[in-house]
Amino acid sequence: MADRRELLARLNPQTCRFDVGQGGGTPSLQTSDIAAALGMVPPGLGREVMEAVYLPDGAMRHRAKLAEAVLAIVRPEFTRRARALAEAEEDLSFSKEMVSLSRRGLSDAQRRILREREAAVASARANAWPRNTYQHLSRMVDAVVAELASGNRCPNCKGTGLVNDKGCPECRCTGIEPLPDRRRAMAMGCHPVDYPKRWKQVFEWLLSELNREAEHAARQFSRALSDREWRAQAQAA
């Protein structure tokens, strides 16, 4: 199996059995082995995202944990960007006040400082997230999880997330083919015109962060699964 996380599907309620191998034999990995390997993955955002993508039935029972884990990374990032904008605006206001107090014409140095600080404000404003980000976060997380679960590999990097040993710019290192802005807007319930202006930056940041954490959890799951598989084969021998 190309992606061992797909084994997590066996933990979803099934009407057919997965514990019988080909030819009547017993497969090396039982459902209990998969569950035990999952239990070896430390709790946190990565595990919650991995379960939401590959074990949706089980993940629904503790959706609140995913929400809490997402908030834990979104809040400091939202605050950092908002603080950067506030500081840039304060610096610009201070510079304008200093010019006003001087009661003289603008010097070349003052013009340069004002241009730099106006540019800093414009940059910080462009990087700041909408004030109502938290109100849209739940729908955005659902849309991100659905995109990660799509299985559509990025054609630019063939699903590896890398191009010439560098992060793929098309999929932002996720390996997943990015959806058009309009489809993402529909998925998170916002107007297609608003998405590129207000939400695209937030969505792509969240997609990248959730994918990175989930990939880390996947490596831990795979190591634990390999250990269980080795033990099962050793016992069978």
Side-chain angles (χ1 to χ4, degrees):
M1 183 173 293
D3 193 333
R4 306 195 81 186
R5 287 172 291 188
E6 294 177 7
L7 290 170
L8 289 170
R10 296 188 186 183
L11 303 182
N12 285 313
Q14 303 289 342
T15 57
C16 58
R17 294 180 60 188
F18 287 100
D19 59 343
V20 178
Q22 294 180 352
T26 302
S28 58
L29 286 173
Q30 305 294 312
T31 303
S32 58
D33 295 317
I34 299 169
L38 178 61
M40 296 300 293
V41 180
L45 179 59
R47 176 172 166 174
E48 295 300 330
V49 175
M50 183 175 69
E51 289 191 37
V53 172
Y54 292 94
L55 183 57
D57 293 339
M60 285 299 296
R61 294 195 297 269
H62 44 91
R63 175 57 192 264
K65 292 183 179 179
L66 174 60
E68 292 174 3
V70 169
L71 279 173
I73 65 167
V74 168
R75 184 175 182 180
E77 184 66 16
F78 178 91
T79 302
R80 182 188 69 80
R81 292 168 183 260
R83 184 177 294 123
L85 175 56
E87 290 177 352
E89 290 176 336
E90 184 178 351
D91 288 343
L92 176 59
S93 178
F94 175 80
S95 297
K96 288 181 176 179
E97 188 63 27
M98 290 299 294
V99 170
S100 176
L101 290 173
S102 67
R103 297 182 179 179
R104 292 181 296 182
L106 283 173
S107 66
D108 291 341
Q110 288 174 327
R111 287 193 182 90
R112 177 178 54 79
I113 291 174
L114 287 176
R115 284 197 301 268
E116 290 175 352
R117 295 193 171 174
E118 286 171 351
V121 168
S123 176
R125 185 171 291 126
N127 289 325
W129 290 350
R131 294 182 179 180
N132 59 340
T133 292
Y134 295 131
Q135 285 80 354
H136 287 75
L137 196 55
S138 179
R139 292 289 299 272
M140 198 179 304
V141 170
D142 288 343
V144 166
V145 169
E147 191 161 328
L148 291 175
S150 69
N152 298 327
R153 298 303 174 186
C154 173
N156 190 50
C157 64
K158 305 299 188 292
T160 65
L162 297 173
V163 176
N164 298 326
D165 297 325
K166 295 181 180 180
C168 177
E170 297 295 325
C171 65
R172 295 178 63 85
C173 307
T174 64
I176 303 296
E177 183 179 14
L179 294 178
D181 288 353
R182 188 176 185 83
R183 287 187 60 183
R184 285 177 171 175
M186 293 176 61
M188 64 172 288
C190 73
H191 196 282
V193 175
D194 289 338
Y195 176 81
K197 295 178 180 179
R198 293 169 53 82
W199 300 110
K200 184 171 184 176
Q201 183 178 181
V202 189
F203 188 97
E204 291 185 346
W205 181 90
L206 191 63
L207 175 65
S208 179
E209 289 296 309
L210 265 57
N211 178 74
R212 182 174 60 83
E213 292 292 332
E215 288 297 320
H216 179 66
R219 290 191 291 271
Q220 294 174 311
F221 174 68
S222 183
R223 285 195 296 268
L225 204 59
S226 296
D227 183 57
R228 301 288 299 187
E229 190 172 39
W230 179 83
R231 290 182 183 179
Q233 292 174 347
Q235 291 174 355

